Amino acid sequence: MQKVRPESETGPAYPIASVNNALLLLLLFREQPRVRLTDACKYLGVAHSTAHRLLAMLAHHGFVQQEPVTRAYVAGPALVEVGLAVVGSLNVREQARPAMEELNTELGETVHLGVLEGNQVRYADAVESERALRVVARTGTLVPAHCTSLGKALLSLMTDQQVAEVYPTSDEPFTARTDQSITTQAELLEEVAKTRERGYAVNSGETEDDVGSVAVAFRDFAGRPAAIAVAAPSSRLNSQRISHIGELMIETLAKSPDGPRRG
C-alpha cells in the first residue's frame, strides 16, 4: 500500500495537512474496499489519535461508515453519491445507451459500460438482464482493470509500453479477485494482445467465480476511451456463444452513426 502522490511535485502554495490527509484517505478507497484504523495510520504516517479524528470527521459527513462487527471503515453514502454524480455527468453514457439497450434486448444479458481510472475500471452505466439468474448492475463501483473484460478491452487501446507503465512488474503479483485472475505483467500483455487480434476481450471467472463477460472498447465523440461488456453466468458462456457475442458487439457499435465509434 503506497501513498498516492500529488500530481504536482510542489503541491499547493499553502497546504493544509489535515485536509490533505483526509483526501488521501478517501483516495485509499480506490485501492481497497475496507480501511482499518491501523491501515490509515500506516498509509498516512500519523498517530492513531490523528487517524481516528480524520475518519470520525469523514464518517460525520457520510463519506465513510464503520462496520459494527469488523470496525473497519467502508465507503459511505456521500462518497458513493459523489461518485455516481460524476458518473452521471459522463457524456459517453448517452452515446453508449442505445447500443447497450440493443445488446440487452438481443442477448438477454446484463450490459455494462466502463471507463478506465488508473489501473481500475469505473462501472459507469448498466442495462440489467431480466432473467432470474443474471449478473447484477455494478454502476458506480471500481474493480481492478486486469480482472475484467472491460479493463482488458480498454488496455488494448494502449501500446504495450503504456500497459507496462500502468502495470509494472514491481507491482507483481497483481491483486487477484479469484483463482483465475491475471497476476503478472507477462500474462496481462499476452491477454491484451489476444484482445487486439480478435477485437474483443474475454473474462472467464476472473472477477467473480462462475461469472464471465465479453467486452469491446470504443471512443466517444471527444475521443475518450470507454468499453461495453456483456456479462452472464459462466454456464451461458461457452466458446461458441462468446464468439457470437463478441462479433455482435463489434457489429452493433460499428453500425450506429450517432453512437460510439470503434478504434
Side-chain angles (χ1 to χ4, degrees):
M1 182 168 53
Q2 297 178 338
K3 185 179 290 189
V4 179
R5 301 295 183 187
E7 293 185 4
S8 167
E9 289 295 328
T10 58
Y14 303 101
I16 302 174
S18 59
V19 174
N20 183 63
N21 283 337
L23 293 174
L24 287 175
L25 278 179
L26 291 179
L27 290 175
L28 182 54
F29 284 93
R30 295 190 306 182
E31 302 176 19
Q32 56 192 70
R34 289 174 174 79
V35 175
R36 297 181 181 275
L37 182 59
T38 53
D39 296 332
C41 295
K42 182 178 179 181
Y43 184 67
L44 298 175
V46 298
H48 275 65
S49 57
T50 301
H52 183 268
R53 286 196 299 271
L54 289 168
L55 287 165
M57 182 57 69
L58 291 175
H60 174 70
H61 290 288
F63 286 99
V64 302
Q65 55 190 16
Q66 194 172 29
E67 294 181 325
V69 178
T70 67
R71 309 305 294 171
Y73 291 86
V74 297
L79 185 58
V80 173
E81 288 167 7
V82 169
L84 290 175
V86 173
V87 167
S89 69
L90 294 175
N91 246 351
V92 67
R93 295 176 75 234
E94 296 179 14
Q95 295 179 27
R97 191 74 184 189
M100 293 172 66
E101 292 177 346
E102 181 176 342
L103 289 167
N104 171 262
T105 300
E106 178 73 19
L107 299 167
E109 305 291 0
T110 297
V111 184
H112 287 116
L113 171 68
V115 294
L116 203 60
E117 292 187 11
N119 63 358
Q120 300 197 69
V121 164
R122 171 77 67 183
Y123 285 78
D125 198 6
V127 182
E128 192 169 308
S129 170
E130 295 183 357
R131 298 190 185 195
L133 180 61
R134 65 184 183 273
V135 176
V136 299
R138 297 173 177 161
T139 305
T141 61
L142 275 172
V143 178
H146 63 283
C147 297
T148 69
S149 61
L150 285 170
K152 288 185 281 187
L154 287 162
L155 292 172
S156 74
L157 298 179
M158 301 180 179
T159 66
D160 283 354
Q161 181 178 347
Q162 289 171 326
V163 174
E165 290 173 357
V166 176
Y167 281 96
T169 54
S170 59
D171 286 349
E172 295 178 358
F174 305 147
T175 301
R177 293 287 294 258
T178 72
D179 291 341
Q180 302 301 315
S181 299
I182 291 172
T183 57
T184 68
Q185 184 190 97
E187 291 176 305
L188 182 58
L189 289 174
E190 181 179 353
E191 187 65 23
V192 168
K194 291 179 183 178
T195 299
R196 294 192 192 106
E197 182 179 353
R198 65 192 170 207
Y200 57 87
V202 177
N203 166 11
S204 300
E206 297 164 58
T207 306
E208 293 181 41
D209 292 324
D210 303 320
V211 173
S213 59
V214 183
V216 174
F218 62 90
R219 295 185 185 277
D220 67 8
F221 292 152
R224 297 170 298 192
I228 291 175
V230 173
S234 298
S235 59
R236 296 204 292 265
L237 288 178
N238 57 32
S239 58
Q240 183 177 0
R241 190 163 192 244
I242 287 172
S243 297
H244 169 67
I245 291 173
E247 291 167 4
L248 180 63
M249 293 179 74
I250 292 171
E251 177 185 340
T252 301
L253 288 172
K255 73 181 180 182
S256 175
D258 299 321
R261 54 190 174 84
R262 292 288 316 286

